[in-house]
Amino acid sequence: MYMKLPLKPLLAAIAATGALNITVMAAAQARVTAPTTSAYRTSRAIKARQNFLRNIADNSQISIGTVNSTTSEPETPAQKKLKKLNTLYTNKHVFSETQSALALGTENKKMVSPNSGAASLLSTAPGVHITSENPQNGSGRYNITINGMGIGWWSGNTYRNQISVLFDGVPMNNQITNDGQWNSSQIPILNMIHGVNVIYGPGNPKDRWYDSLGGTLNFVPVQPSAKFQATVGTSYGSFGSKSGYFLLNTGLWHGWSTVLAGGYTAANAFYQGPSNWPQHSWSAYIKTAHPFSNGLFTIGAYIEKSDATHTFEIPVTPIAGYTVNGYGVKGPLLSQQTSGFYNVPSANLWYKNDIVDSYVLYSQQKFNLGGDWTLSNTPWYRHAYRLHQASFNYGADVYNPEAAEHYAPTDNTIGDKLNVAWTSKYNDIDLGGWVSDQRYHTVEDLWNPLLGTSQNNPYVYNNVELTSVFSSIYAQDTIKLLDGNLRITPGLADVNYATTMADLPNANLSGAYLTATPGAQTNFTRLEPSIGINYKILSDLSAYANYSTTYQNETDLAYGAYLQNIKVNTSAIPLTKAVDYEAGFRYYKKNISLYINYYHDYLTNLLNGVSGSLTQLNASGYNLGNALYQGVNISAKWKPIGQLYLYGSANVEHSYYTNDYNNTGVSFNGLDLTGIPHYSFTLSASYRIPLYDGVLTPRITDQYSGGQTLYNGITGGPTDQVMNNYNLVNISITYRTTLLNRVIPGVKEAVFNFGLYNLLNRKYESDIYLTTGGYQPGEQASLFAYPGAPLQVFGGVSLKF
């Protein structure tokens, strides 16, 4: 089986390469014929080359920017305050942390496809795994796990609300829903993101949020700066993929600095068949900052819109009745083995459209209170809207009362976080808290026109409103002993989770109302103790360990949402509890860093929804279980010689149920959790080759995902089978140059890139699990899967002004 590469993207890439060669030759000819005048010798291009060669001699970071002065002017107070807006962790910061943390920055961004969205960056971190039904574009939905605990949507991982996702420090999670607390398509433009802070486990109270059991991800966007900067870029690739973005920093102007960014991405899916499955996303971001005498004020806004169509899973092996033309319709059998690995039915038979719209308005205020006291405050408002429109006409005339879906939940959240900090030689004290108030309204209609129902007269429907007010008051103190070489951080948080669910049945609809519980209300308050320690053994070697007990409110399934004819005792609704232990070593020098972390997390009262079949969308129940997550993460960066850069990350994990049963009494005790690779690694190598007017950097990246325990969608739990090993190799080449400085006015640097992703064209399943189609009584569970993306080609260019 081979993949036919799209012709247009290849021609575009070849044309771009040819244009680059012509530009290089023209510039070389210009240098030969140009007079060697004094003005030319002191031109900006000559200065850039001198600076470039000087940096190579020093074996420092290659820079091909212009040189304005041989001496640097001292920073003003306003410039220093603007620098603090960049909250991406540094190596120095991570080296002294008492919690498990690391940062993903520029080098990590270069390892993934430029059109794949910000979530793809996470795959380079140890212990972080992503899967998707359409992974080659930022519009597709990703499921993300950190050390086995997840967020997003994927059938093989039933726990989907264990990670807090932040944008510039502002929480983006829906607080209560089981199936859409955060979608990766909400950050579709990777170039808008400066980097990601990753905290493994609950972390310290100051950094913890309501869904931080497994970790916290803070996507740090580009920030306002003291100097003017601008970048525009575009890229094209396989399957009609295209994207464009811009970044504009005004620099300080009348005491204010503003950054404006935006981007658009679109593609067709790589599936083969009669339909294109288009998807597209755009996002925009603005943030303005005003430094003043004793503080800093910012106001920001972020908005996105994502619209993606996709098919549903297809059988791995042929099943009687399943053909490419519909269930029970004559034609070739539909499966990866018979109709083709990437072949899917027409959108007229299987179709789903996922729309995700959201925006965030927020402000950050920082005040110097005097006496080493500072105050920071962040109020925010977030609006999110999702629309799922689906058509399951495949076999709809045989048996499927839920052949069409209209699902349109909306949530609105207002919140605020306040922190007061005191810094001294021996103590760093943080006192503060946050509150987040969300209104979540979820509406769903399911029907089948072939069986006499419609959206206005559905087979079943749901109309539920949930109010959740979550808050935390915390105190933590980093005690610094032995000249700061020993840091101990005890912390205590008092959390409160108040939830109310109201059923809103419509008396004018004849369909069955999904939720059986006539409203529910809970209110929980718990204390969360934690302690962390970091000891600097040597100047470049530190050891750390931390412990925490944390809690999380259950999702809407625990309150009976979507559970038809399932009575829920609201007085028995528990909190999910996590007891987390982590320990490790960090080694850091200028040209090498090493991170080793062991984790041991015991979670109780994990809520697991049980579905039943591929076409029956409403959950048939849920169960509560206990599980142990344990493993080791390793991450390393190394510049052994010259301009060679090596990066590696690895994870080995064994996570299993200690006590778990489904709603029919089937036991999963001792079985591994699903959707979690037993081991995985990323290896990347790049080498910067200096050229006269730039730097050429080839890069190769290898990502391997080890076996995952197979999920059974009927029983709602794992099996004893292991599936889905795969290895993906990506290569790319980047050329940073000042060649265009003399061609396009104002351009300081041009960056050309070209890449091949899944170079070996590996066939692998991004998602695979056991389920039934639901088209005939007594149908046996079979393997259904989404194929992963085949070989893809991307080429692009960006200009910096």
Side-chain angles (χ1 to χ4, degrees):
M1 185 74 181
Y2 67 93
M3 187 196 75
K4 183 178 179 181
L5 292 174
L7 183 60
K8 290 184 179 179
L10 282 176
L11 292 176
I14 293 171
T17 305
L20 172 60
N21 290 333
I22 292 171
T23 305
V24 172
M25 290 187 290
Q29 180 65 28
R31 286 197 298 271
V32 171
T33 58
T36 57
T37 63
S38 174
Y40 182 77
R41 284 194 300 269
T42 58
S43 69
R44 185 171 61 184
I46 292 296
K47 289 182 180 180
R49 182 168 182 263
Q50 291 171 345
N51 180 52
F52 169 76
L53 294 174
R54 182 165 51 251
N55 282 326
I56 294 178
D58 295 337
N59 193 30
S60 61
Q61 177 74 23
I62 291 180
S63 173
I64 57 174
T66 60
V67 178
N68 296 321
S69 175
T70 58
T71 60
S72 59
E73 298 180 359
E75 288 185 321
T76 65
Q79 291 173 331
K80 292 180 179 178
K81 289 170 183 174
L82 287 175
K83 271 192 171 183
K84 292 181 179 180
L85 288 175
N86 179 16
T87 57
L88 188 66
Y89 292 157
T90 63
N91 286 325
K92 183 179 179 181
H93 175 90
V94 171
F95 185 71
S96 60
E97 269 286 358
T98 61
Q99 59 186 356
S100 300
L102 56 80
L104 304 175
T106 302
E107 291 296 333
N108 301 85
K109 291 169 66 175
K110 296 174 182 177
M111 300 176 197
V112 298
S113 166
N115 288 12
S116 57
S120 64
L121 178 61
L122 303 171
S123 67
T124 64
V128 181
H129 182 64
I130 63 174
T131 55
S132 173
E133 78 268 7
N134 201 1
Q136 93 282 10
N137 184 266
S139 306
R141 299 182 303 177
Y142 286 75
N143 180 76
I144 302 164
T145 59
I146 299 179
N147 293 342
M149 300 184 215
I151 192 169
W153 176 263
W154 183 54
S155 302
N157 189 312
T158 54
Y159 309 123
R160 300 186 290 265
N161 64 325
Q162 298 168 313
I163 300 171
S164 286
V165 179
L166 316 176
F167 179 87
D168 205 9
V170 176
M172 299 184 74
N173 291 35
N174 182 305
Q175 295 176 179
I176 200 69
T177 182
N178 180 66
D179 71 344
Q181 61 288 110
W182 181 74
N183 285 277
S184 59
S185 59
Q186 290 179 260
I187 310 181
I189 308 300
L190 176 60
N191 290 290
M192 192 180 293
I193 301 301
H194 179 58
V196 183
N197 291 331
V198 182
I199 296 176
Y200 291 84
N204 292 327
K206 184 182 72 169
D207 300 314
R208 191 185 308 149
W209 293 90
Y210 44 85
D211 286 336
S212 291
L213 296 185
T216 301
L217 301 170
N218 184 16
F219 287 85
V220 181
V222 292
Q223 297 292 328
S225 64
K227 295 182 179 180
F228 172 84
Q229 298 175 352
T231 303
V232 295
T234 185
S235 65
Y236 294 88
S238 302
F239 311 107
S241 177
K242 54 184 177 291
S243 69
Y245 74 96
F246 72 90
L247 309 172
L248 174 63
N249 239 311
T250 65
L252 274 171
W253 188 70
H254 295 287
W256 293 81
S257 177
T258 301
V259 62
L260 178 64
Y264 174 83
T265 183
N268 296 324
F270 54 83
Y271 308 130
Q272 296 173 357
S275 304
N276 290 331
W277 307 100
Q279 51 188 263
H280 61 89
S281 300
W282 65 265
S283 63
Y285 158 69
I286 185 172
K287 184 176 181 179
T288 187
H290 175 54
F292 53 91
S293 59
N294 67 330
L296 179 72
F297 170 82
T298 75
I299 185 168
Y302 175 75
I303 184 171
E304 62 77 24
K305 182 178 179 63
S306 175
D307 190 338
T309 61
H310 64 88
T311 185
F312 293 91
E313 301 95 327
I314 66 170
V316 173
T317 57
I319 303 173
Y322 283 76
T323 76
V324 296
N325 298 318
Y327 184 79
V329 181
K330 290 183 178 181
L333 290 174
L334 172 68
S335 75
Q336 288 183 344
Q337 293 184 359
T338 53
S339 56
F341 191 81
Y342 301 105
N343 188 272
V344 298
S346 166
N348 293 326
L349 295 175
W350 260 355
Y351 171 83
K352 191 167 187 180
N353 186 202
D354 294 323
I355 295 176
V356 179
D357 298 348
S358 66
Y359 61 84
V360 180
L361 305 174
Y362 65 102
S363 177
Q364 298 159 328
Q365 305 106 42
K366 301 178 184 294
F367 300 94
N368 184 353
L369 303 179
D372 298 319
W373 286 90
T374 59
L375 181 146
S376 61
N377 185 53
T378 303
W380 75 86
Y381 169 75
R382 182 182 63 84
H383 168 81
Y385 168 75
R386 288 185 293 135
L387 175 60
H388 294 182
Q389 292 177 305
S391 175
F392 304 89
N393 289 329
Y394 192 97
D397 56 340
V398 179
Y399 169 73
N400 185 7
E402 300 173 4
E405 175 194 30
H406 182 271
Y407 177 41
T410 304
D411 63 272
N412 294 278
T413 307
I414 187 170
D416 186 80
K417 180 177 182 178
L418 179 70
N419 186 82
V420 179
W422 180 63
T423 302
S424 71
K425 182 178 180 180
Y426 300 106
N427 291 85
D428 291 339
I429 297 176
D430 286 279
L431 306 171
W434 53 262
V435 60
S436 182
D437 186 333
Q438 176 186 278
R439 300 294 187 272
Y440 175 53
H441 187 201
T442 172
V443 178
E444 183 180 35
D445 300 301
L446 300 168
W447 70 94
N448 183 346
L450 298 179
L451 300 180
T453 54
S454 64
Q455 183 176 354
N456 294 327
N457 183 33
Y459 169 69
V460 292
Y461 75 98
N462 205 42
N463 189 7
V464 172
E465 186 170 85
L466 292 107
T467 301
S468 56
V469 182
F470 296 167
S471 63
S472 173
I473 300 174
Y474 61 81
Q476 72 178 52
D477 178 14
T478 298
I479 304 166
K480 297 175 285 186
L481 304 173
L482 304 178
D483 295 326
N485 292 325
L486 176 62
R487 293 170 174 254
I488 304 173
T489 307
L492 183 66
D494 183 16
V495 296
N496 180 262
Y497 301 114
T499 303
T500 301
M501 187 182 80
D503 290 313
L504 306 172
N506 189 339
N508 296 321
L509 295 180
S510 60
Y513 186 68
L514 271 176
T515 301
T517 303
Q521 184 172 356
T522 58
N523 194 330
F524 301 99
T525 300
R526 295 291 188 274
L527 289 176
E528 297 182 337
S530 63
I531 187 168
I533 183 170
N534 184 298
Y535 178 57
K536 188 186 293 185
I537 303 171
L538 301 171
S539 61
D540 46 22
L541 177 65
S542 67
Y544 69 96
N546 57 73
Y547 151 82
S548 65
T549 293
T550 54
Y551 298 88
Q552 181 190 39
N553 201 84
E554 301 287 4
T555 63
D556 52 5
L557 281 183
Y559 295 83
Y562 311 106
L563 300 182
Q564 186 177 13
N565 299 322
I566 302 294
K567 299 296 183 181
V568 175
N569 181 6
T570 58
S571 63
I573 296 175
L575 290 174
T576 298
K577 179 181 179 181
V579 179
D580 174 63
Y581 298 91
E582 310 220 10
F585 292 90
R586 301 184 180 106
Y587 181 79
Y588 168 64
K589 277 190 173 182
K590 181 179 180 181
N591 292 326
I592 186 171
S593 63
L594 176 65
Y595 163 96
I596 302 175
N597 178 66
Y598 167 75
Y599 56 92
H600 182 282
D601 298 287
Y602 187 65
L603 272 64
T604 56
N605 295 323
L606 288 165
L607 185 144
N608 175 12
V610 182
S611 296
S613 72
L614 189 64
T615 57
Q616 300 295 296
L617 295 180
N618 52 295
S620 60
Y622 73 88
N623 55 287
L624 296 170
N626 304 336
L628 178 64
Y629 299 75
Q630 56 186 348
V632 176
N633 291 321
I634 302 174
S635 178
K637 305 174 186 177
W638 189 23
K639 295 181 180 179
I641 56 172
Q643 303 304 320
L644 177 64
Y645 176 81
L646 302 176
Y647 174 85
S649 68
N651 169 263
V652 178
E653 178 163 350
H654 180 212
S655 299
Y656 59 92
Y657 289 106
T658 60
N659 182 34
D660 192 48
Y661 297 85
N662 70 4
N663 58 331
T664 62
V666 176
S667 173
F668 306 124
N669 295 353
L671 294 179
D672 291 346
L673 276 76
T674 58
I676 306 170
H678 297 170
Y679 48 92
S680 60
F681 66 77
T682 296
L683 298 175
S684 183
S686 64
Y687 192 85
R688 294 179 294 182
I689 304 170
L691 301 178
Y692 184 83
D693 281 298
V695 181
L696 189 71
T697 307
R699 175 177 288 98
I700 183 169
T701 301
D702 187 359
Q703 293 187 301
Y704 182 84
S705 175
Q708 301 178 37
T709 298
L710 189 67
Y711 175 73
N712 189 324
I714 309 305
T715 63
T719 68
D720 57 1
Q721 297 175 262
V722 177
M723 303 290 290
N724 212 21
N725 295 14
Y726 56 88
N727 185 73
L728 304 178
V729 177
N730 305 326
I731 61 170
S732 63
I733 187 167
T734 301
Y735 180 53
R736 295 172 54 204
T737 179
T738 58
L739 274 173
L740 298 185
N741 294 19
R742 300 181 297 276
V743 179
I744 303 177
V747 172
K748 295 180 180 179
E749 178 182 294
V751 181
F752 297 87
N753 58 76
F754 180 80
L756 299 172
Y757 298 86
N758 191 2
L759 173 68
L760 304 178
N761 201 23
R762 298 292 192 193
K763 291 183 173 67
Y764 68 100
E765 285 90 6
S766 181
D767 179 348
I768 181 170
Y769 71 110
L770 283 165
T771 187
T772 69
Y775 299 119
Q776 58 182 339
E779 184 177 341
Q780 296 298 309
S782 302
L783 286 175
F784 284 73
Y786 281 119
L791 170 65
Q792 302 170 84
V793 181
F794 287 96
V797 60
S798 64
L799 303 177
K800 297 182 180 180
F801 296 86

